[in-house]
Amino acid sequence: MSGSFYKSKYSDLGSQDEDNHFICDEMQTIGVADGVSGWGMRGVDAGIYARQLINNSLLATLTKTHPIDPMKVLDEAFAKMKAVGCSRACIISLHKDKMLHAVKMGDSGFMVIGQGAAIYRSLVIKVVVQAGDVIVAGTDGLFDNLSESQISETAVTGIERGLHPEDVAWQVAQ
């Protein structure tokens, strides 16, 4: 099961910010991107780059067969970029052997929560997971502002209350 919630750093509800994500349930793959806001000094909307990278990543994922290779997805997405800018990104795919495969560029990343606590935070690209583990993906907007224990406790509490993943994501974002 997957869910997401995006909380803009701007109060304007129409603002799309520099972050974006995709969830592809049928291929058990998710991705997040965080456009580098420094491009704004050059008059470039960093969010456009992140949104295009995520859209390209989703399209690349949908053209593949299982198992998904996140590095190939990101390479293909990057090769099709037309927008100006750059982005941090993380793409994660769960394989049938319960191995989580990931690629990350910059400070976007993910963590695995198992048995009520953070058991892994992204440093390498393959991680064994078990049924019931929770994967939280995010940009620096999440990982720079909340500790692993705050994320874990909030996610576990929501899951124990029987909340849908999207509602759990909302609670973590709050």
Side-chain angles (χ1 to χ4, degrees):
M1 293 179 17
S2 300
S4 68
F5 184 82
Y6 176 76
K7 185 173 181 178
S8 175
K9 65 182 173 186
Y10 304 113
S11 60
D12 176 12
L13 294 177
S15 174
Q16 292 188 313
D17 226 348
E18 292 93 17
D19 297 351
N20 209 313
H21 73 281
F22 77 89
I23 297 174
C24 184
D25 285 326
E26 61 269 25
M27 300 305 278
Q28 294 189 308
T29 302
I30 62 176
V32 296
D34 178 10
V36 177
S37 59
W39 281 88
M41 293 183 282
R42 296 181 180 175
V44 174
D45 180 347
I48 292 172
Y49 191 94
R51 288 187 290 279
Q52 189 176 97
L53 184 64
I54 285 298
N55 187 57
N56 289 351
S57 297
L58 175 58
L59 293 174
T61 299
L62 291 170
T63 63
K64 307 282 184 242
T65 57
H66 228 278
I68 299 296
D69 180 342
M71 179 64 86
K72 288 182 180 176
V73 167
L74 192 57
D75 283 345
E76 186 176 318
F78 178 73
K80 294 182 178 180
M81 291 301 297
K82 303 284 188 239
V84 175
C86 59
S87 179
R88 304 156 185 103
C90 180
I91 299 181
I92 308 157
S93 184
L94 178 62
H95 292 201
K96 290 181 180 17
D97 62 0
K98 296 183 181 175
M99 183 72 71
L100 199 62
H101 290 242
V103 62
K104 68 181 235 76
M105 304 294 291
D107 55 7
S108 292
F110 68 99
M111 62 187 287
V112 177
I113 302 168
Q115 300 178 0
I119 58 174
Y120 177 81
R121 180 129 175 222
S122 56
L123 297 174
V124 296
I125 60 172
K126 292 183 184 177
V127 180
V128 176
V129 293
Q130 299 177 18
D133 285 354
V134 176
I135 292 89
V136 176
T139 64
D140 59 341
L142 173 65
F143 294 117
D144 286 354
N145 292 296
L146 293 177
S147 68
E148 287 180 7
S149 63
Q150 288 174 307
I151 296 167
S152 297
E153 290 168 13
T154 304
V156 168
T157 299
I159 292 163
E160 288 173 347
R161 290 179 47 215
L163 296 180
H164 186 273
E166 194 153 315
D167 296 322
V168 173
W170 179 85
Q171 286 193 325
V172 171
Q174 295 309 310

